[in-house]
Amino acid sequence: SVLMAVSVIAGLLGTSWQAMVATQAEQRALLHQAQSERNLDTALLAMEKLLAHLGNPGLAEIPELQETFEKVIDDAIVLYDRFTSAHGTPPQLQYRAARVFELLARLAHDSLESSKAAETHAKAIALADRLVEQDPSRIEYRELQASVYLSSGSFYRQRQYLFSDGTERALRDLQHAISLYQSLSLSQPGNKEYPAQEADALLQLSGLRKAIDPKDPRVIELAQRGYDLSERAVASPHAPRVLANALLATDKTRADELYRQSLTRYRSQSDKATRKDRENFAWACYQVANKFEHRHPEEAEELWREAVDLYSQLCRDFPSAAKCARGLMMVVEDFGLYLTRHHRE
């Protein structure tokens, strides 16, 4: 199984690292170290792939696997701490370690291990910052740095209530991610991934600012910048909805147009949608139905029914996913209240 493979690879990593730091005769040590580094690099790559598989959202929601997930995360953190803290670890291995810490942080986040997610986000950021400081010319180091700050900012935005400085960390990390992706875009103007990631950070920062103070003028400014970047890069279905939320209090007509644009894009991408895309689409239908209840009641009812259908299909396709079941129960309950308010059946 994947979990057994993780344990085997972890053992190989430990053995390779012990061999790598062992003191030997100079010539033999160099040859042996080179082989050990290759072994360790191979094991790290395998660990990355396995952790990516473990990051499947469906696995993290299976109650029977929670204890196993916690053990894998704990063991992996200890293992990577051993060699990243050792003096003289080659930069390329530090780079792989930082990528693994980012994967571990996301895995811990998905499995609701928030304290471990915070710990591993901090480790990934420290390693990425060190690598960029040592060699700022390496584009992959700068990409990693931008990615880990965006990942950390997203984590703290969603879990800010669990940490006394959660909001400040989310603001800081998202803003820094924006700056880093802007710098990357200047270095490689033709790369569309950088503006797409910058747009994601801008949209998240807009939502966070709105939660802090809905009247903050930066809410609309950030959302508009994120929307404009997204339009040029990937035309995300998420961007119009965030801008609509920001504009709703001041320009309902424009906001309604953007809500409809968002839903149209979700529908057009349904044939290639991932589970996360489908969850986002279902949530968008639910959110827009609430927004349209009084201005466009017939359209709102259609969206309520669409949300119920989408969550129902998700529950059929992913029967062990607690998040989908919770979403369906919430939508059905709120749809019932909507029908009662409007005397419909």
Side-chain angles (χ1 to χ4, degrees):
S1 71
V2 171
L3 295 175
M4 289 179 63
V6 169
S7 299
V8 172
I9 291 173
L12 176 58
L13 283 168
T15 302
S16 299
W17 181 247
Q18 289 171 359
M20 185 174 164
V21 298
T23 57
Q24 303 176 27
E26 185 175 346
Q27 186 175 9
R28 290 180 58 195
L30 289 173
L31 292 172
H32 190 65
Q33 181 172 342
Q35 182 61 50
S36 296
E37 286 181 15
R38 287 193 293 272
N39 290 343
L40 184 56
D41 189 63
T42 300
L44 283 169
L45 179 60
M47 179 69 90
E48 288 175 35
K49 292 180 178 178
L50 287 168
L51 288 173
H53 288 307
L54 280 176
N56 183 316
L59 293 177
E61 293 177 355
I62 300 175
E64 292 78 7
L65 289 180
Q66 286 300 306
E67 186 175 344
T68 304
F69 265 78
E70 293 173 17
K71 187 177 187 305
V72 168
I73 294 168
D74 288 342
D75 289 348
I77 290 173
V78 171
L79 174 67
Y80 282 93
D81 272 342
R82 284 172 56 193
F83 74 84
T84 55
S85 62
H87 177 70
T89 301
Q92 66 269 26
L93 298 184
Q94 295 276 358
Y95 170 71
R96 298 212 92 100
R99 290 182 59 183
V100 169
F101 275 131
E102 185 180 17
L103 285 169
L104 286 169
R106 292 177 179 174
L107 180 59
H109 182 184
D110 290 341
S111 61
L112 302 181
E113 289 288 304
S114 295
S115 61
K116 292 185 178 65
E119 177 186 350
T120 45
H121 274 304
K123 292 178 186 295
I125 285 175
L127 283 170
D129 284 346
R130 187 185 312 156
L131 286 166
V132 172
E133 182 180 359
Q134 291 172 352
D135 191 352
S137 66
R138 296 286 292 271
I139 196 71
E140 67 269 30
Y141 293 172
R142 294 169 59 199
E143 289 174 340
L144 172 68
Q145 185 185 40
S147 176
V148 296
Y149 271 100
L150 177 55
S151 180
S152 179
S154 179
F155 164 71
Y156 282 109
R157 181 183 65 83
Q158 296 176 60
R159 296 283 187 268
Q160 57 186 290
Y161 57 89
L162 295 175
F163 304 91
S164 59
D165 59 346
T167 301
E168 290 75 12
R169 289 191 185 190
L171 291 168
R172 178 198 65 201
D173 290 351
L174 288 172
Q175 187 60 62
H176 195 40
I178 291 167
S179 300
L180 292 171
Y181 278 116
Q182 286 175 341
S183 177
L184 283 166
S185 293
L186 291 174
S187 300
Q188 296 188 342
N191 189 314
K192 288 191 175 183
E193 182 64 22
Y194 301 152
Q197 295 300 318
E198 182 187 346
D200 183 16
L202 283 163
L203 294 169
Q204 291 196 56
L205 188 56
S206 172
L208 181 58
R209 291 282 184 197
K210 187 174 188 295
I212 296 171
D213 179 7
K215 296 182 179 180
D216 187 336
R218 289 171 292 185
V219 172
I220 295 177
E221 176 196 346
L222 291 164
Q224 186 67 62
R225 285 171 57 196
Y227 175 82
D228 292 342
L229 268 178
S230 177
E231 290 299 283
R232 294 196 295 269
V234 293
S236 158
H238 176 62
R241 186 158 54 95
V242 175
L243 181 55
N245 289 340
L247 290 170
L248 188 59
T250 57
D251 190 346
K252 289 183 172 55
T253 300
R254 175 65 176 143
D256 289 350
E257 292 174 356
L258 288 162
Y259 283 132
R260 294 186 181 103
Q261 182 185 65
S262 174
L263 294 170
T264 298
R265 287 183 179 174
Y266 275 120
R267 294 183 185 109
S268 69
Q269 299 174 7
S270 61
D271 59 331
K272 56 182 179 181
T274 64
R275 174 186 154 186
K276 184 177 180 180
D277 293 333
R278 293 167 61 188
E279 289 175 347
N280 289 339
F281 181 21
W283 177 255
C285 289
Y286 169 76
Q287 184 192 52
V288 178
N290 275 292
K291 305 293 186 186
F292 280 10
E293 177 175 351
H294 300 294
R295 297 194 303 281
H296 314 287
E298 292 184 359
E299 194 172 352
E301 183 170 341
E302 292 178 4
L303 288 170
W304 278 114
R305 296 187 187 280
E306 189 171 10
V308 171
D309 290 343
L310 289 167
Y311 273 117
S312 297
Q313 188 60 52
L314 279 165
C315 288
R316 286 191 290 270
D317 293 343
F318 306 99
S320 62
K323 184 177 180 180
C324 297
R326 289 195 300 269
L328 177 60
M329 288 188 290
M330 176 187 66
V331 170
V332 168
E333 180 179 358
D334 287 357
F335 184 31
L337 294 173
Y338 167 85
L339 293 174
T340 299
R341 287 193 297 272
H342 293 268
H343 307 291
R344 301 182 184 218
E345 297 181 356

